[in-house]
Amino acid sequence: MSSVSRRTVLAGTAAAAVAVAATGAPAAASGPKVKPTIVLVHGAFADAAGWSGVLKRLIRAGYPVLAPANPLRGVASDAAYLKSVLKTITGPIVLVGHSYGGVVITNAATGVENVKALVYVAAFAPDAGDDVYHLQNRFPGTELTLDALDFREHPGGVDGYVKREFFHRVFAGDLSPAEADVLWATQRPGDTSTLQTPSGEPAWKTIPSYFLVAKDDRLIPAAVQRFMAERAGARTVEICSSHVALISQPKAVADLIERAAR
């Protein structure tokens, strides 16, 4: 070893020794902060493609992102499935839910220590014992009535679909009729059991939460969203949007997610 390189090594060793003496621990290595993984969970009558505009912005900003399929078969099984996905991710996680996806993240995040923030996008944020049907109707304003749904039996249950004549107004009022028709034709139904299944102990009691209120939502009234956000102690923003804020206003949604990630 040359005298120059020997002096360099010795100087570095001495600096580390001073840091240990002063703090009781080795000096931390400097480097870029690790960005959390963003996990995006869709709700009923939709699929993961609805996050496309949000995904593009988050990926461009350097975040690792995952948008798994929500089974939409039942509260307990949907939450168990998402929890199994979360357990495959190392490092911090920001967990985001839209609509019924909020129920799923509320239940799935309990006991998962690396979930560091919850983000609700025009979503349900239930407390223990709450169910979707009673939350949705806690205040007047929802137009997703039983008359707006088609019911189709499947092996083991009954699925609910939003009827075409209601879909644009109720679900996606700030999209064009043509865009709404595509969403209607490709909607993934939710098993009707999810409507009145009580939710479990909520993760938002121990994990910081953020909430985007869609003020023009005809599915989950804004008053219901504000009630849930305030109860959860969520940091809240409000925008003029239909229920599909993730599609019609992806920048506002991505901005809130990045705020949570920071």
Side-chain angles (χ1 to χ4, degrees), residues 13-14 30 40 43 49 53 62 75 92 179 188 191-192 219 231 236 243 261:
T13 304
S30 61
L40 306 168
V75 173
E179 290 172 312
R188 287 190 58 206
D191 190 284
T192 54
L219 196 153
R231 181 176 64 177
T236 303
H243 188 60

Side-chain angles (χ1 to χ4, degrees), residues 33-38 58 63 92-94 116-117 119 210 254-262:
K33 185 177 180 181
V34 176
K35 287 183 179 289
T37 298
I38 313 296
L58 294 175
Y63 289 94
I93 298 170
V94 173
K116 301 302 182 184
V119 182
Y210 297 75
D255 286 348
L256 182 61
I257 294 169
E258 288 197 70
R259 179 182 168 190
R262 289 193 292 269

Side-chain angles (χ1 to χ4, degrees), residues 75-85 108:
V75 173
S77 60
D78 294 343
Y81 175 79
L82 178 59
K83 182 169 287 192
S84 73
V85 173

Side-chain angles (χ1 to χ4, degrees), residues 29-105:
S30 61
K33 185 177 180 181
V34 176
K35 287 183 179 289
T37 298
I38 313 296
V39 179
L40 306 168
V41 182
H42 66 83
F45 319 124
D47 62 23
W51 292 109
S52 294
V54 177
L55 277 163
K56 291 175 183 176
R57 285 164 172 80
L58 294 175
I59 291 170
R60 192 161 54 237
Y63 289 94
V65 190
L66 186 64
N70 182 353
L72 303 176
R73 297 296 84 192
V75 173
S77 60
D78 294 343
Y81 175 79
L82 178 59
K83 182 169 287 192
S84 73
V85 173
L86 298 178
K87 288 182 176 179
T88 69
I89 300 171
T90 58
I93 298 170
V94 173
L95 189 53
V96 186
H98 170 245
S99 193
Y100 166 72
V103 177
V104 179
I105 71 171

Side-chain angles (χ1 to χ4, degrees), residues 159-201:
D159 276 336
Y161 296 76
V162 181
K163 294 177 180 177
R164 184 175 184 179
E165 60 265 34
F166 289 92
F167 195 94
H168 186 206
R169 175 176 173 81
V170 174
F171 195 74
D174 51 357
L175 301 183
S176 71
E179 290 172 312
D181 275 346
V182 171
L183 293 177
W184 167 79
T186 58
Q187 66 180 295
R188 287 190 58 206
D191 190 284
T192 54
S193 67
T194 62
L195 294 174
Q196 297 194 54
T197 299
S199 187
E201 190 65 20

